[in-house]
Structure formats: C-alpha cells, structure tokens
Amino acid sequence: ILLANGVYAAAYPLHDGDYEGENVEFNDRKLLYEEWARYGVFYKYQPIDLVRKYFGEKIGLYFAWLGVYTQMLIPASIVGIIVFLYGCATMDENIPSMEMCDQRHNITMCPLCDKTCSYWKMSSACATARASHLFDNPATVFFSVFMALWAATFMEHWKRKQMRLNYRWDLTGFEEEEDHPRAEYEARVLEKSLKKESRNKETDKVKLTWRDRFPAYLTNLVSIIFMIAVTFAIVLGVIIYRISMAAALAMNSSPSVRSNIRVTVTATAVIINLVVIILLDEVYGCIARWLTKIEVPFSDPSLGAHLLCNNLLHRFRFVGRPGDYVYIFRSFRMEECAPGGCLMELCIQLSIIMLGKQLIQNNLFEIGIPKMKKLIRYLKLKRQSPPDHEECVKRKQRYEVDYNLEPFAGLTPEYMEMIIQFGFVTLFVASFPLAPLFALLNNIIEIRLDAKKFVTELRRPVAVRAKDIGIWYNILRGIGKLAVIINAFVISFTSDFIPRLVYLYMYSKNGTMHGFVNHTLSSFNVSDFQNGTAPNDPLDLGYEVRICRYKDYREPPWSENKYDISKDFWAVLAARLAFVIVFQNLVMFMSDFVDWVIPDIPKDISQQIHKEKVLMVELFMREEQDKQQLLETWMEKERQKDEPPCNHHNPKACPDSLGSPAPGHAHHGGVL
C-alpha cells in the first residue's frame, strides 16, 4: 500500500555485490556473470541450480525451459537444412520449373495489372520458379510431419525435465499458495473502505466488484476494437501499396526490373510490414500495460494473464480472372499468384519478418534501450551531484546502486517473445524450413542476453516459488495443435504439391510431370477485356496477342461455358480437402501416440519417489511400533504400581498361586 501511494519509491532485494572489477569480492552474482551471463560461454550449460538459488524457482524454470527449447531446436535445424539442401540438389531436375524456364514454349501471360501492365513471357519468371522449388518440394510434407512430432516430443521432454527439477528442488509436494493481493489492489480496496462502501459479510474484507471494474473493462474493449481496426487499416494500406507499386514497376522500360516485379514488391512490402509490426508492437504493448493497470487485477498471476490476453489480442491482424478481377474500392485490382506458386512469396515474408523482428526488436532493443536508459540516469545523476561525483559513486551503498537499475517487469515479455518465435517455427514451417535454424541461432544469443540483463541491468527480483511455467505450457500445446491444421492448409492450398499429385496420377500421359505447367494455365481471349482494362501497349512483345494465359482451372474462350470453373478445379479441390483431413488426423494421432508413449515422469525419478514413499511408510510404521512399545511398557509399570507387594503379610500377591513361601525363605521362627 505504501508503494502504491508513493510513500516508498521502490522495494527490492539487494544484489550480492558487484560483478566486475579487480578488487570485487567473490559472490554468487559475480559467479553468474562469469559462467552464465557472458557471450563467450555460449557453449556451456546453464548453471540452473545457481540461477534458482539467486533468483528463485520461477525465473529458474524460465531459463531451464529456454535451455530445453534451444536444445530441441538442434535436431529440427538439422532436418530443416537437409530439406533445403534436397531442394537445392533437385532444382535442376524439377520438370515444372524447367518448363517455365524453357523459352521455346513461348507462353504469353495476361497482364498483372490494368492498362499500364503489358503482356509478358512466362519464361521471365524463371528465377522465381526455380527458387520456389527450394521450399516447395516433396520433402516439405515430410518436414511438416516431422515438426508436428517434434513439437509433441518437445512438450514431453520439457515435462520430464520439469519433473527432475521439481524433485531436485524439493517441489514435488509443493502446492501453489493462495495469491496475495497486489499493492495496487490493496490501495484501491483501502480507498474504497475509507469511503465506507460495500463489505463482504463473510470475510469482513472489502473487495472490488464488477461495478468498480466496469469502466476499465469498457475502456479496454473499446481500445481493443479500435486498435484491431487500425491494424486492418494498415494491412489494407500495404495491399494497396503492393498493387500500386506493381503497376509503377510495370511501366519501367528496363526488362530486368519488369522481370523481378513480384520479388521487389513483396520484399519492400514486407519491410514496411516489419517496421509497422515493430512500432505497433511497442505502442500496443504500452497500451496493454496501461489497460491492464487500470483493471487492477487481484494478484500477480492474474496480472500476467490479463497482460497476456491484451498482448495476444493486439497482435492479431479471392483474385478473379482476366475480364472479371476482384477490385478494392473499385480501383485497385487484387494481386494474383505467380505461375510458380504463392509459397515463395510467403517464404520471403516469413523470413524477413522473423529475422527482422528477432534482430531489431528482440536483440537490438533489449541491448540498446537498457543501455540508453542507464546512460541517461548516469548523466542526470552526474548533473545533480557535486564535482567529486566519482568519489560519491564509490561511497554509495548497495541499495543506492541497485536503485539505478531497471525495475523487474515480470517474465511475461520474455515468454511472449519466445512464444511468438515458437509460432514462427511450427505454424509456417511448411513454407520456411530454415525457421528452426534461425531460431536456434537467435536463442544462443538470447539466453546470454537475458542472463546478462538479469545479472547486470535489472534490480534483483523477489524470489517466487513455482513448480511449472504456468499458463505458457497450455499456450505451447495449443500452438502445436494449431500448427498441424495450418501446415495442412499451407501445403494443400498455397503450394503446388496437391495439383502436381493430381496431374501425375490423373492427367499425365506418360507418368511424368511433363505438361503440368500448361495444364494449370487457362486461356483468355484479349477481346473480352473490360473497357479501360486492356494494356495501353499491346505490341510491347513485338507481336499481336490474341490469347493470353493465366493460372487457374477454367474453361477456354472457345467453350460453350467459357471462363466457367472446369472439372479439373473440382478434382484438385477435392484432393486438397482430402489431404487436409488425412494429414490433420494422421499427424494428430501420431502426436498423441508420442504423448502416450513417453511417460511424464522419468523412470529413475519415479523409482526414487517410490523408494522414498516406502521408506517414509516404514519410518511411520517403526515410529508407531515404538510408540506402541512405549505405551505397553508404561501400562505395565502403572499396573505394577497398583499391585500390592509380595511378602509374608500378603502371600497371595506372590507369584506362587498357592501362597507357598518363595525358595530360600523360612517360616519357622521367622528367621531366614
């Protein structure tokens, strides 16, 4: 309450001491810095037990989970590299891309935009078609199945590792304690009690009701709707930029520029997307923290859940044919996929966003912003201090030195960063097999970066006991399940894997892929262009074009039902849907099988726990037996106290039931 009301500026545990310098005494902080928080020790295992000792179990579990996740990325990266190398090795043997690059086919394609774009040769997209094979080949399907099983194995491996840590850290019998109210919550409750508002009659404690929270919830809802609208507006703006940029480049006189229109437009649009994502991520993160603060959650765990929901909500964000395209605002024509497929464009987008986000936001911001804040605090302190500033700094107490560090803001940003990366690795791995490799390289730096931040840049957090990573485990499982569905749709509807299979087994005359490209292209009579949409320069190729081709399954212009969807389209669509169903159920079954086969508790740990339980039962039984013996001994002594003595005055109390004298006793004369 004192913190919430501003009586105290901060409250935090002190660090053990300094971590660098010649005359610094050896302490746990210095040991963590030397063996954990330096980039030069990236090849070493993390000292998780020391991390847990210094920061507590909750932070120790985070770094243990991050280490397991990074370790599991190694086999995924190796398989991803093999899939990529397979695409490189078979590039020259790919018949569809060879046909697209063969200039002898002389296939004239329809314009990519209205009026300003002219007809173009399909062979000009040769480079894109060859590059698409690197990520769109039969090995991609295998890799998608592998990554689904990898995600299930990773979750099981983490549960086993978590159980080992629980046993080692004596958390097997630990139960989560009742959440303690946060300082802000107690301050609001105190303010409400002073106003003599409603009380809970059973516990005699004032609590915040839904009426107290309703204004905050309403503000939160309106803000979320507004920011989602802003996000969609920006996405729409990027789409319009792509369309306009494509039309502008199509007017360029350079053949090389016109042949690379799609790659240029995609790359520049993705860079704009990346900048917007980073800016909105920071803005939405600040707004989410503010909205969470005004909601006044009861405890710190509920604070993390509210912040998580707000962050996730703020991160969410059909083409036609020639003569009948789909338009935005009746002016901007929707883009269509290249003859080589849309997977290459998706790969470019994912690679730029993933690499850019990790390099700029996750690493550069985490390194640069704390350093900048620290420098600003140092300059401000130097300006306010006397001339002998350096001596003043040396005489500072530990609590004063730690006060200049950044306050600990919780583990939610750290987990969120890795959850988004896990989504990149699993959700779209069918279109970007190198994602695990880039994630691995990033995490090798990320572990040491986070370690250095906790040891050198942040105030020491309050140690909190915990036996698991909480809600984040369920989120990871949900992403793993969702990845199966998304990869099934990416392979089925984005790549040409299914159309190639359908052509190979239904339409190919010689059992090869020869003729596949021509089979996927439909014909259009240029006389059927809508008014004002035909190319301004129809003779740009040097000859008159009467029929142009476009990627779709439609009836030709000389058919009775010209430009209607053909039977081939329905055959391919049925195969796509069948693949989604089979792929999803098969991979889900295999993932559940892996989950069932791998036990959650390692065998040696379960045996050790069983032995400890047996020893505990034996100890309790021995204690009960000892208690029983002591009780019997005490009762015997009490019984003996109550019995009369054995002598000649009371012969019946003697052991001899007949009352005869004991051996060695004499009754004659009363003399022994």
Side-chain angles (χ1 to χ4, degrees):
I1 295 177
L2 296 176
L3 284 172
N5 291 330
V7 178
Y8 289 137
Y12 46 87
L14 300 181
H15 280 290
D16 281 357
D18 293 326
Y19 58 89
E20 58 183 355
E22 298 180 356
N23 300 323
V24 175
E25 296 182 0
F26 194 79
N27 53 62
D28 287 343
R29 188 186 187 191
K30 181 177 177 60
L31 181 60
L32 284 173
Y33 179 76
E34 294 292 335
E35 299 296 328
W36 182 51
R38 294 189 301 111
Y39 297 111
V41 295
F42 71 93
Y43 58 91
K44 293 185 178 181
Y45 285 103
Q46 299 184 86
I48 294 298
D49 292 327
L50 184 58
V51 174
R52 171 249 181 178
K53 174 188 174 185
Y54 195 79
F55 294 109
E57 285 80 0
K58 193 170 185 178
I59 295 178
L61 283 173
Y62 163 71
F63 281 102
W65 172 83
L66 184 57
V68 170
Y69 171 49
T70 304
Q71 185 181 21
M72 287 294 294
L73 283 172
I74 297 176
S77 302
I78 294 174
V79 177
I81 293 174
I82 293 174
V83 171
F84 179 76
L85 293 178
Y86 170 81
C88 295
T90 59
M91 183 186 299
D92 294 332
E93 302 174 2
N94 184 38
I95 295 176
S97 62
M98 291 172 59
E99 289 184 347
M100 290 186 62
C101 295
D102 192 352
Q103 297 183 2
R104 294 175 299 177
H105 285 84
N106 196 30
I107 298 178
T108 303
M109 304 297 296
C110 295
L112 297 176
C113 62
D114 294 338
K115 298 174 65 173
T116 56
C117 298
S118 184
Y119 305 104
W120 55 286
K121 293 286 189 180
M122 188 180 66
S123 58
S124 64
C126 175
T128 304
R130 290 173 61 85
S132 296
H133 180 71
L134 299 177
F135 308 99
D136 187 6
N137 54 69
T140 303
V141 181
F142 160 76
F143 192 51
S144 299
V145 177
F146 172 82
M147 288 303 296
L149 300 180
W150 173 87
T153 306
F154 162 60
M155 301 307 297
E156 293 303 311
H157 181 48
W158 165 244
K159 284 196 291 187
R160 291 167 64 85
K161 177 67 174 180
Q162 185 174 259
M163 191 62 200
R164 288 187 181 277
L165 294 177
N166 286 341
Y167 179 76
R168 194 187 338 178
W169 295 348
D170 195 22
L171 295 171
T172 51
F174 171 73
E175 297 294 336
E176 296 289 343
E177 300 177 356
E178 183 180 356
D179 295 335
H180 298 288
R182 298 172 60 247
E184 293 83 356
Y185 183 88
E186 290 186 338
R188 284 286 299 274
V189 169
L190 179 60
E191 180 183 352
K192 182 177 178 180
S193 64
L194 293 176
K195 295 179 180 179
K196 297 181 179 181
E197 293 186 2
S198 61
R199 284 177 175 270
N200 188 312
K201 295 181 180 180
E202 295 181 359
T203 60
D204 196 34
K205 292 182 180 179
V206 179
K207 292 187 176 181
L208 298 181
T209 63
W210 68 271
R211 293 182 179 178
D212 301 314
R213 301 176 185 267
F214 180 75
Y217 286 145
L218 182 60
T219 305
N220 200 342
L221 179 61
V222 173
S223 301
I224 289 173
I225 295 174
F226 172 75
M227 285 182 282
I228 290 177
V230 170
T231 303
F232 277 106
I234 293 175
V235 171
L236 183 61
V238 173
I239 293 174
I240 295 175
Y241 163 80
R242 290 175 61 102
I243 298 171
S244 304
M245 191 68 178
L249 292 177
M251 299 172 62
N252 195 292
S253 59
S254 174
S256 60
V257 173
R258 286 186 293 178
S259 62
N260 296 312
I261 288 177
R262 193 171 300 277
V263 176
T264 304
V265 170
T266 301
T268 55
V270 173
I271 293 174
I272 295 174
N273 262 332
L274 175 62
V275 174
V276 171
I277 286 173
I278 293 176
L279 293 178
L280 289 185
D281 200 36
E282 296 298 321
V283 173
Y284 287 178
C286 296
I287 296 176
R289 287 188 289 271
W290 174 72
L291 292 174
T292 305
K293 184 177 180 180
I294 65 175
E295 287 177 12
V296 195
F298 173 76
S299 60
D300 285 323
S302 60
L303 172 69
H306 282 67
L307 185 57
L308 171 63
C309 292
N310 286 333
N311 275 280
L312 287 178
L313 284 172
H314 296 152
R315 281 177 168 84
F316 281 114
R317 333 171 280 132
F318 310 109
V319 179
R321 61 167 179 84
D324 189 22
Y325 283 111
V326 176
Y327 290 86
I328 301 177
F329 303 135
R330 300 182 179 181
S331 301
F332 301 97
R333 198 183 94 183
M334 288 294 291
E335 289 184 285
E336 54 188 297
C337 289
C342 294
L343 200 65
M344 186 60 191
E345 295 186 23
L346 182 59
C347 175
I348 294 174
Q349 294 179 22
L350 291 174
S351 59
I352 293 178
I353 290 177
M354 182 178 180
L355 294 177
K357 196 173 188 305
Q358 289 182 347
L359 179 64
I360 298 175
Q361 187 174 20
N362 296 351
N363 293 334
L364 188 61
F365 280 16
E366 287 191 22
I367 296 174
I369 291 180
K371 293 287 186 184
M372 188 179 300
K373 289 182 178 179
K374 189 174 182 180
L375 178 62
I376 292 174
R377 285 194 301 268
Y378 175 79
L379 295 176
K380 186 184 296 184
L381 183 64
K382 187 175 182 179
R383 191 181 304 112
Q384 297 173 353
S385 300
D388 55 344
H389 171 70
E390 297 297 333
E391 294 296 328
C392 179
V393 171
K394 292 180 181 179
R395 292 195 300 268
K396 275 191 173 182
Q397 299 294 323
R398 169 52 49 190
Y399 71 90
E400 295 177 295
V401 176
D402 289 358
Y403 181 72
N404 291 327
L405 300 176
E406 280 290 305
F408 176 64
L411 289 173
T412 298
E414 311 299 333
Y415 274 115
M416 180 67 71
E417 177 184 334
M418 290 295 105
I419 291 294
I420 293 175
Q421 184 199 86
F422 183 78
F424 273 110
V425 170
T426 56
L427 292 177
F428 304 101
V429 72
S431 57
F432 191 34
L434 295 179
L437 174 63
F438 291 129
L440 174 64
L441 297 177
N442 174 81
N443 286 6
I444 292 175
I445 302 174
E446 181 70 24
I447 291 177
R448 307 303 165 179
L449 176 64
D450 285 347
K452 188 173 183 179
K453 181 171 64 175
F454 272 82
V455 173
T456 66
E457 303 292 340
L458 297 179
R459 297 172 188 167
R460 187 174 180 178
V462 178
V464 178
R465 298 198 77 189
K467 62 186 304 182
D468 52 40
I469 60 175
I471 191 176
W472 303 105
Y473 179 82
N474 296 329
I475 294 175
L476 289 169
R477 285 187 64 90
I479 292 177
K481 299 294 184 184
L482 183 62
V484 177
I485 302 173
I486 290 183
N487 280 305
F489 278 96
V490 168
I491 294 173
S492 182
F493 289 92
T494 305
S495 74
D496 282 339
F497 177 75
I498 299 301
R500 289 173 183 173
L501 286 181
V502 172
Y503 177 80
L504 184 64
Y505 293 105
M506 291 183 62
Y507 301 104
S508 178
K509 297 179 180 180
N510 52 8
T512 65
M513 292 301 297
H514 288 287
F516 169 74
V517 174
N518 185 65
H519 177 75
T520 59
L521 297 177
S522 298
S523 300
F524 177 75
N525 193 329
V526 297
S527 61
D528 294 331
F529 271 121
Q530 293 179 349
N531 293 331
T533 61
N536 292 333
D537 187 8
L539 300 178
D540 186 54
L541 295 179
Y543 57 87
E544 183 181 0
V545 177
R546 295 182 179 180
I547 299 293
C548 65
R549 310 294 296 275
Y550 61 99
K551 189 177 178 63
D552 204 349
Y553 292 99
R554 291 183 180 272
E555 296 290 341
W558 51 83
S559 173
E560 294 181 0
N561 303 315
K562 65 177 184 179
Y563 307 134
D564 286 350
I565 295 175
S566 64
K567 295 180 180 179
D568 298 343
F569 172 83
W570 299 112
V572 172
L573 179 61
R576 293 182 192 272
L577 296 177
F579 175 82
V580 169
I581 296 173
V582 173
F583 182 89
Q584 175 183 339
N585 287 277
L586 178 63
V587 176
M588 287 286 190
F589 170 77
M590 296 173 67
S591 300
D592 293 339
F593 180 75
V594 170
D595 192 0
W596 175 73
V597 168
I598 302 177
D600 295 344
I601 304 176
K603 187 176 181 179
D604 57 333
I605 298 297
S606 60
Q607 290 177 349
Q608 191 66 26
I609 293 176
H610 178 70
K611 289 180 182 179
E612 291 180 357
K613 289 183 178 179
V614 171
L615 292 175
M616 191 68 67
V617 171
E618 291 178 356
L619 179 62
F620 287 154
M621 294 293 293
R622 192 178 298 114
E623 288 182 353
E624 290 297 326
Q625 291 176 359
D626 293 342
K627 289 180 181 179
Q628 187 67 22
Q629 291 178 358
L630 289 174
L631 180 61
E632 291 178 356
T633 304
W634 177 80
M635 292 178 65
E636 181 65 23
K637 289 181 179 180
E638 291 296 321
R639 186 180 61 79
Q640 292 178 1
K641 288 181 180 179
D642 295 339
E643 291 180 354
C646 173
N647 51 38
H648 65 281
H649 297 291
N650 189 17
K652 293 182 178 181
C654 296
D656 187 1
S657 59
L658 298 178
S660 58
H665 289 75
H667 289 280
H668 304 287
V671 179
L672 180 61

